[in-house]
Amino acid sequence: MGKLDHPKIKRLSWDEMLMNLSIISSKRTACKFHETGAVFVDKDKRILSIGYNGPTAGDYHCIDHGCAKVDGDPVTKKLRRCRGAHAEINGIINCQDAKRMKGATLYSVLFPCYDCMKALSNAGIAEIVYYKKYERIQTGGENFEEEDESLELAQKRNIIIRKYEGKIFCNFPDEYNTEQTEHGCCDCQ
């Protein structure tokens, strides 16, 4: 309960609340290298759906069995394609009616990859607010690659792109973070 001599004087902006919610949802991922969350909202800022990246239902979790692209298949050790479904795709699926996505805004920890951007474009997403650039891990894990096609498609479809520059308020113990987020949640203090 609030104290009368110390009333609240400020509240989170929509961007702050929704990006921090995206970051919190990213902590559900089972990926060892990329953690991202996605929050979709309609024009009135009502949450339509939330998603995070991870393996499809019933498949191996990377934090338990290794990354298919870097560590290989847990049985054969052969390098394979990523088992994960990205946060954006899971968010579209979780919405249950993709027609509700038309005109929506996506808040995402990572800028969408090209495959996700194609799905977002087809779903009718109007705006994307992202926190960090996405770089795909190449098979074997030696290198990363950017996907310029993703931004090009967004521009072609007139999807508004904004990089989030606001505050990150959530912080997590190291065991919940990938190396790229080792200081808590993303780049905070």
Side-chain angles (χ1 to χ4, degrees), residues 81-94:
R81 292 186 62 180
C82 176
R83 293 185 289 267
H86 290 190
E88 301 89 340
I89 300 300
N90 283 327
I92 292 170
I93 292 167
N94 291 342

Side-chain angles (χ1 to χ4, degrees), residues 10-20 45 107 162 164 166-167 169:
K10 192 172 180 178
R11 65 183 183 157
L12 295 177
S13 70
W14 284 113
D15 277 0
E16 289 169 332
M17 182 188 88
L18 295 166
M19 186 56 73
N20 279 273
K45 304 297 187 210
Y107 285 82
R162 287 193 295 126
Y164 178 76
K167 293 182 179 178
F169 297 101

Side-chain angles (χ1 to χ4, degrees), residues 9-181:
I9 59 171
K10 192 172 180 178
R11 65 183 183 157
L12 295 177
S13 70
W14 284 113
D15 277 0
E16 289 169 332
M17 182 188 88
L18 295 166
M19 186 56 73
N20 279 273
L21 185 55
S22 295
I23 290 167
I24 290 169
S25 69
S26 77
K27 298 304 175 181
R28 281 287 304 151
T29 186
C31 180
K32 293 168 50 173
F33 303 111
H34 288 104
E35 50 184 51
T36 190
V39 175
F40 293 87
V41 296
D42 67 13
K43 63 180 173 52
D44 296 317
K45 304 297 187 210
R46 290 180 294 225
I47 295 173
L48 299 172
S49 185
I50 295 177
Y52 57 88
N53 61 314
T56 58
D59 206 347
Y60 294 116
H61 285 227
C62 299
I63 59 174
D64 298 328
H65 298 279
C67 173
K69 289 178 78 171
V70 176
D71 304 311
D73 182 276
V75 177
T76 66
K77 304 299 180 205
K78 179 181 176 186
L79 294 179
R80 309 282 306 259
R81 292 186 62 180
C82 176
R83 293 185 289 267
H86 290 190
E88 301 89 340
I89 300 300
N90 283 327
I92 292 170
I93 292 167
N94 291 342
C95 186
Q96 297 181 352
D97 182 359
K99 290 182 281 191
R100 295 175 62 209
M101 295 284 184
K102 187 166 181 63
T105 297
L106 163 65
Y107 285 82
S108 182
V109 176
L110 296 177
F111 188 79
C113 74
Y114 185 49
D115 289 334
C116 288
M117 188 60 77
K118 291 184 278 188
L120 295 167
S121 175
N122 282 349
I125 299 302
E127 181 177 14
I128 297 170
V129 182
Y130 74 99
Y131 185 61
K132 288 183 164 186
K133 178 175 62 168
Y134 170 71
E135 292 182 326
R136 181 183 301 277
I137 297 172
Q138 291 181 345
T139 301
E142 290 89 27
N143 294 305
F144 292 86
E145 61 185 334
E146 292 184 30
E147 296 185 353
D148 298 333
E149 302 93 344
S150 189
L151 181 58
E152 291 168 8
L153 177 58
Q155 291 169 337
K156 182 188 271 184
R157 291 297 309 265
N158 295 317
I159 298 171
I160 298 165
I161 303 293
R162 287 193 295 126
K163 178 159 180 9
Y164 178 76
E165 301 290 351
K167 293 182 179 178
I168 302 301
F169 297 101
C170 48
N171 196 2
F172 295 88
D174 286 344
E175 62 266 22
Y176 291 98
N177 301 307
T178 63
E179 277 187 40
Q180 57 184 319
T181 62

